Amino acid sequence: MFRQLQRRAVRRRPFPDAWLATLRSQVAAYMQLGAAQQAELQKRILVFIKEKTFEGCLGLEVSDTMRVVIAAQACLLELGRRPHYYPDGVSIFIYPSAFVSTLTETLPGGMVARREVVRIGEAWRRGSVVLAWDATLQQSCGLLPGHSVYAHNAYAHNVTLHEFAHKLDGEDGSVDGVPDLGGLDGLGPNRQAAHATWAQVMSRAYRELVRQVQAGELSALDPYGATNPAEFFAVATETFFASPLTLKHTEPDLYKVLSGFYGQDPANWPAPERRR
Ligand SMILES: [Zn+2]
C-alpha cells in the first residue's frame, strides 16, 4: 500500500528536460509511440529509476543517459500491461562493453566444468540484469545490422529487451519461456484458454525454428532462439518490438500471441515512418 502511494507521488513528478532529450535522441522506440503512450512511459521511467539501483562495472560511471535508455526499454515491455516494475530485479550492472562471464556446468557423471563466455547481456535468476553499455545504446538507437559492431547476423537485436523479457518470464518462479499469462484478454476468455493458445502457438513456432536451424534454412527469428523455449521467448520479444512488421508478416500467429501478451501492437505504432 505504501509502495503504491509512493509510486503515485513519483509518477506526478515533472519529467526532466534532459531525460526527454535522451528519449528523443537515443530511444528509437519512444519516437514511434503515440502521445498518450509517451506520457505513460515517462511516468513509469520515473518510478523505475527511483526504485532500481544502477551500478557501473570496470570503472564505468553511470550517467542519467544510461539510466533513461535502460529504464525506457525495460518499461516499454510493460507499457501495455499493469506494471510490476520487475519486482525481483533491483540492480542493473552496466559494463562499458562486452564482458566475460563464467559459466558452471555439471557434466554427465557429476563433474563440474567452468568455462568463460563473452556476453553483452545477462539476466540473473534472482535479482540483477547485466548489460554492455555500447551494445545497449547502439540497439536502443535502432542502428541497423551492419552499422553495429555487435551485429553478427541480419536479425533485429535488442539486448535490453531480451534480458528484461527473461525477467518477465521468471516472475512466475521459472524462466521457461512461459511467463505469467493470467488475465490476458488478448489470448482468451480465461487463464486456461490463454495458456492453451500460448502453448499451441509458441511451441509450434519454436519447433519450426529448431527445424529451420537444423535444416540450415533462413528463419524469421534469430537462430539463437532455437537454444531452448526461454531463449525463444526472449528472441521473439526482441523481434516483436524491434522488427514488428517483419514478424507480423512472416509469423502472424506468433505476432498475435505476443501482441495479446504485451498488450501492444508495435506494427501499428503511429510513427510517421511506419505509415509509409
Ligand atoms: Zn537469453
Side-chain angles (χ1 to χ4, degrees):
M1 186 63 190
F2 175 68
R3 170 154 275 194
Q4 292 307 324
L5 288 173
Q6 207 176 31
R7 282 179 177 168
R8 223 177 287 167
V10 173
R11 283 170 59 91
R12 280 198 292 266
R13 289 182 188 166
F15 197 78
D17 287 345
W19 293 13
L20 183 57
T22 297
L23 287 180
R24 286 178 171 158
S25 59
Q26 324 262 31
V27 184
Y30 178 80
M31 297 307 289
Q32 291 164 8
L33 300 173
Q37 288 175 307
Q38 286 182 336
E40 178 60 25
L41 189 66
Q42 287 182 15
K43 293 180 197 301
R44 295 189 183 192
I45 290 169
L46 289 170
V47 174
F48 188 93
I49 289 178
K50 174 85 172 59
E51 294 186 4
K52 305 299 176 193
T53 308
F54 295 77
E55 290 191 36
C57 304
L58 301 179
L60 182 76
E61 201 171 315
V62 177
S63 65
D64 275 1
T65 299
M66 294 174 189
R67 291 186 183 91
V68 171
V69 164
I70 293 167
Q73 295 175 95
C75 294
L76 179 70
L77 286 190
E78 288 198 318
L79 191 58
R81 306 154 52 82
R82 188 138 45 93
H84 291 166
Y85 297 104
Y86 306 95
D88 83 332
V90 291
S91 299
I92 294 124
F93 292 93
I94 311 170
Y95 281 85
S97 193
F99 53 91
V100 176
S101 184
T102 305
L103 293 185
T104 309
E105 285 170 316
T106 307
L107 303 173
M111 274 233 317
V112 176
R114 288 157 69 87
R115 67 187 168 97
E116 296 192 325
V117 291
V118 176
R119 293 197 153 155
I120 59 171
E122 217 169 58
W124 295 351
R125 199 164 283 269
R126 286 252 147 249
S128 312
V129 166
V130 191
L131 295 166
W133 173 241
D134 56 356
T136 298
L137 182 62
Q138 285 170 6
Q139 294 166 353
S140 173
C141 291
L143 282 183
L144 296 171
H147 293 82
S148 162
V149 293
Y150 290 113
H152 55 278
N153 57 30
Y155 297 95
H157 289 284
N158 187 304
V159 65
T160 317
L161 297 179
H162 182 107
E163 302 309 339
F164 279 95
H166 282 317
K167 299 307 291 180
L168 276 186
D169 184 357
E171 274 181 23
D172 61 356
S174 57
V175 183
D176 55 2
V178 187
D180 184 353
L181 302 173
L184 292 176
D185 297 341
L187 289 185
N190 56 46
R191 197 186 179 93
Q192 206 179 1
H195 268 269
T197 306
W198 179 277
Q200 192 186 18
V201 173
M202 293 297 272
S203 62
R204 188 205 54 76
Y206 172 63
R207 283 198 310 271
E208 175 62 7
L209 181 61
V210 171
R211 188 197 66 74
Q212 287 171 323
V213 171
Q214 285 171 350
E217 290 176 15
L218 196 62
S219 53
L221 293 163
D222 184 344
Y224 185 65
T227 306
N228 58 47
E231 294 306 338
F232 180 78
F233 171 63
V235 164
T237 295
E238 282 181 84
T239 314
F240 177 72
F241 284 101
S243 197
L245 292 172
T246 307
L247 189 67
K248 192 172 183 175
H249 180 70
T250 54
E251 293 274 353
D253 290 344
L254 178 59
Y255 183 90
K256 204 169 153 194
V257 160
L258 289 171
S259 185
F261 172 70
Y262 282 111
Q264 300 190 63
D265 186 9
N268 286 308
W269 274 342
E273 54 266 61
R274 289 195 183 274
R275 276 195 236 116
R276 270 190 230 130

